[in-house]
Amino acid sequence: MESILDSKITYLKGVGPKKADLLKKELGIYIFNDLITYFPFRYADKSKIYKVGDIVTDNTYFQLVGTVSNLTKVGDKRARYVTATFSDDTGSTELIWFRGLQWVMNRFVPGKKYIIFGKPSVFKNKFNFAHPEIEDYEESDFNASGQRLEGIYSSTEKLKNVGLGSRGISKLQKELISQCIEALWETLPEYILENYNLISRKEALVNIHFPGETEIIDKAKERLKFEELLIIQLQLIKDKNSVSHKFKGQIFKTVGNNLNVFYNEYLPFELTNAQKRVIKEIRSDMRTGYQMNRLLQGDVGSGKTLVALLCVLISMDNGFQSCIMAPTEILATQHFNSIKKIIGDLDVNIELLTGSTKKKKREEIHSQLKDGTLDLLIGTHAVLEDVVVFKNLGFVVIDEQHRFGVAQRAKLWKKNSIPPHVLVMTATPIPRTLAMTVYGNLDISIIDELPPGRKPVTTTHVFESKRLRILGFMKDQIKQGRQIYVVYPLIRESEKVDLKNLMDGYHNMIHDFPMPDYQVSVVHGKMKAEDKDFEMQRFVEGKTDIMVSTTVIEVGVDIPNASVMIIENAERFGLSQLHQLRGRVGRGADQSYCLLISGYKLSNEGRKRLEIMVETTDGFKIAEADLKLRGPGDLQGTQQSGVLDLKIASLVHDTHLITLTRNLATKIIERDPSLDKTPNRLLRKQLDKIKEGKQNWGRIS
Ligand code: ADP
Ligand code: MG
């Protein structure tokens, strides 16, 4: 059944073709429903008329009554803007327009009273109002309706020019609601409204646009946010559960010898509780008969690699081969060495395959993979090549997932007729609530605990001018046998400048360094891969004391003896990058240090980032702070997920509601998987509507 809310916006009284066109282009409003879900971002007290003398801040909206005089065009041949003086009995302030200049020049009658409404800005220490909303005072209905609180809508210059500033939009809302009031049906089942003490949809929609009193605004918002988040969660959970999204998978039911022996005799430490929990989650996935696709999140150093290794042993005990893929040769080599070491003389056949593996060795590996004598292949992209054929690949680990594309992952899937179980590991934590929405249709495991005995890295923010003290500190550390990273920022647009920055820094350091014999490795993006590896390797082997580099070392490198991380121009890095870099130290027994170096001139956000880094080493807290500073738009994974289209709920501020609706949605789907029960049909209707939504006829025009 079509609802009146599906009508094209042109059919609303007061919206002609021109306005309709702008509403579409500027705000994405195509149909009635789009408009009614275009909510105010704040409210102004409309009954209140301020005096010019009351304007003390540019933080809030003011409604003033007064006269307009001194209209002046400013500019040489062509006017660039128009100013005017707005006065009441307490003083005057400036009005300014940059567009529609001719119209403005003819708009005002001297001595006549006008109401203006807007938010002032400050220019040269004086307040002015740019493009204020204006009505003739005599004709204004500003208080006729008795409406005290007025919703403030964001608008654009183009819309303002056709009379659709905030107040214009509010008028459309009034018209819309009076036409559609009967069509504002309830969309949530009665039992949910009751249990969560929510107001009806009609009451919420009317009051979010035209609130009777302040208290009802919060109730209206809560109701609308609840609904929005609940529907998203239902959708995600349904997707996740639907068999059509799952592939047939290998069944690992044996608890075998390798795992037991390794666990009881080789493991040098107790697993953390988080590691145990995650392994349990993975094991139960591996028994379902469906392919596992699980994301493993865990802070740097939380022991993800060990989890991966235990899963490799499970796979082996069930007669399958495994593969671990890392984004760089260094990382692959590192995994290979550390796994070799920890596995000791246990009978596991492991090989390393990278771009630099010699031809003979390569062929040997290929044939061992084919005849099944190789249990675990560790490597780089090289493992994806078509010549790499497994006898029976059952389990795949992809380390640092964001370095690999979907196509590359798909290639690994195809290496067995029944696809292998896939574990994707990432050390870039995203906040839980965001994970629930962004990755809500993936299975997620989280290691939220570090192995015991780690000393938190001591982090300090140091100004550039303290260079000599920094060098002195470095000298002390080197004398104690430690190794040091010095990292310079790299921004793609200006690679040349950055490289110069790095090389200058390097030369200055060598020149000023208060110590005769020390060795430095330099690694940057412009070097050949083999030179990079060579330099890196010297540092890994402890032949050099300092590693000067750009962020190429960001991911995964594990050198326990390197205990100092110095980040130059630290204000230019994002929070998650700073956290990744700091995660390179603090891996050994020694106290580690992170020095964040910056100039004195810092933006607010830059300063905030450095403060957070000094304050905490908890990756999830840092991710939470990052989300608050930047909003979800920049976070990895959010772009594709559609969560950015939220109309009213906020991923940053509504974490409580996200958890609440997530739990409710889980329960609902558990009891009523296809939402067939009478009260839940209302919910299903909404999900169906979303499915067909993209082809909505109202949008094709
Ligand atoms: P991640 O890959 O999550 O950054 P790793 O797997 O490289 O972390 O582990 C970091 C270090 O901690 C390794 O040296 C590893 O052997 C060690 N480790 C892992 N799990 C534990 C544990 N439960 N107790 C003590 N040390 C551990
Ligand atoms: Mg790792």
Side-chain angles (χ1 to χ4, degrees), residues 18 285 339:
K18 188 174 169 203
D285 277 1
I339 286 178

Side-chain angles (χ1 to χ4, degrees), residues 494-659:
S494 58
E495 251 177 49
K496 272 197 193 124
V497 178
D498 288 320
L499 185 57
K500 182 172 180 307
N501 196 3
L502 178 142
M503 292 318 284
D504 286 354
Y506 168 67
H507 287 302
N508 285 342
M509 194 157 59
I510 289 181
H511 189 260
D512 299 338
F513 211 77
M515 190 174 170
D517 51 341
Y518 67 99
Q519 300 295 320
V520 184
S521 290
V522 183
V523 169
H524 57 77
K526 290 270 181 227
M527 285 163 79
K528 278 198 211 128
E530 58 226 66
D531 295 342
K532 254 193 256 180
D533 277 351
F534 175 77
E535 285 287 293
M536 197 73 207
Q537 207 50 44
R538 293 202 312 145
F539 190 64
V540 171
E541 287 162 14
K543 290 183 181 149
T544 55
D545 306 296
I546 302 176
M547 161 62 77
V548 175
S549 78
T550 52
T551 49
V552 287
I553 55 133
E554 184 188 332
V555 177
V557 188
D558 190 5
I559 304 169
N561 191 49
S563 62
V564 181
M565 169 62 65
I566 296 178
I567 305 176
E568 298 276 355
N569 298 110
E571 75 279 8
R572 281 173 61 186
F573 291 88
L575 263 178
S576 75
Q577 232 181 351
L578 289 172
H579 179 63
Q580 284 294 314
L581 288 168
R582 181 169 59 184
R584 296 306 110 220
V585 298
R587 300 179 153 247
D590 310 294
Q591 176 61 53
S592 299
Y593 301 90
C594 175
L595 268 50
L596 305 168
I597 303 183
S598 81
Y600 283 106
K601 237 184 164 175
L602 286 171
S603 70
N604 269 342
E605 213 192 295
R607 181 189 312 277
K608 194 93 213 167
R609 283 197 297 262
L610 300 183
E611 276 170 20
I612 291 162
M613 287 299 292
V614 171
E615 223 164 79
T616 182
T617 52
D618 180 331
F620 284 96
K621 278 198 189 136
I622 288 170
E624 203 85 55
D626 202 20
L627 181 62
K628 283 192 178 134
L629 276 180
R630 293 196 298 165
D634 291 332
L635 284 178
Q636 186 197 321
T638 51
Q639 279 83 357
Q640 312 90 294
S641 68
V643 292
L644 299 179
D645 299 336
L646 287 176
K647 290 207 159 117
I648 184 160
S650 149
L651 291 177
V652 179
H653 301 293
D654 297 320
T655 51
H656 168 69
L657 277 179
I658 292 175
T659 315

